[in-house]
Amino acid sequence: MNLTFLKKERLKQNISQKKISTTLGYKYTSSYNKLETGTCNLTLETFIKICNILSLDLETAIKEVAKNV
C-alpha cells in the first residue's frame, strides 16, 4: 500500500502524529508512525478511523493507497 497519501493529507491539514496517535488511543506516537511508514500492518478498521480523523472520503483514500501496489 502507498501510505504516503495519508502522511501528505495529515501534513496538509497540519495535524501531528501525536494528535492522531492520541485519538486512536495509542500510548506512543511511534505506534502511529509505524502504521504511516508501513513498518506495521494497517487494519481496515484503523484505516477507516484515520480517514475519519482526517475527514477523508473513504473511497478516494482507498484508491490513493492502492496506487503502485
Side-chain angles (χ1 to χ4, degrees), residues 9-37:
E9 286 297 316
R10 177 181 61 75
L11 293 173
K12 188 165 76 172
Q13 296 180 37
N14 200 29
I15 298 174
S16 69
Q17 286 185 340
K18 181 168 180 65
K19 179 174 169 113
I20 292 183
S21 297
T22 302
T23 305
L24 291 173
Y26 296 145
K27 187 174 181 178
Y28 303 106
T29 303
S30 62
S31 298
Y32 176 73
N33 180 270
K34 288 178 183 178
L35 293 176
E36 197 174 78
T37 59

Side-chain angles (χ1 to χ4, degrees), residues 11-69:
L11 293 173
K12 188 165 76 172
Q13 296 180 37
N14 200 29
I15 298 174
S16 69
Q17 286 185 340
K18 181 168 180 65
K19 179 174 169 113
I20 292 183
S21 297
T22 302
T23 305
L24 291 173
Y26 296 145
K27 187 174 181 178
Y28 303 106
T29 303
S30 62
S31 298
Y32 176 73
N33 180 270
K34 288 178 183 178
L35 293 176
E36 197 174 78
T37 59
T39 306
C40 197
N41 290 329
L42 177 65
T43 66
L44 180 58
E45 180 182 358
T46 302
F47 178 75
I48 292 169
K49 287 178 182 179
I50 294 168
C51 288
N52 288 332
I53 293 167
L54 297 174
S55 300
L56 299 174
D57 175 67
L58 190 57
E59 186 176 340
T60 302
I62 290 170
K63 287 178 184 177
E64 286 295 324
V65 298
K67 287 182 181 178
N68 301 320
V69 173

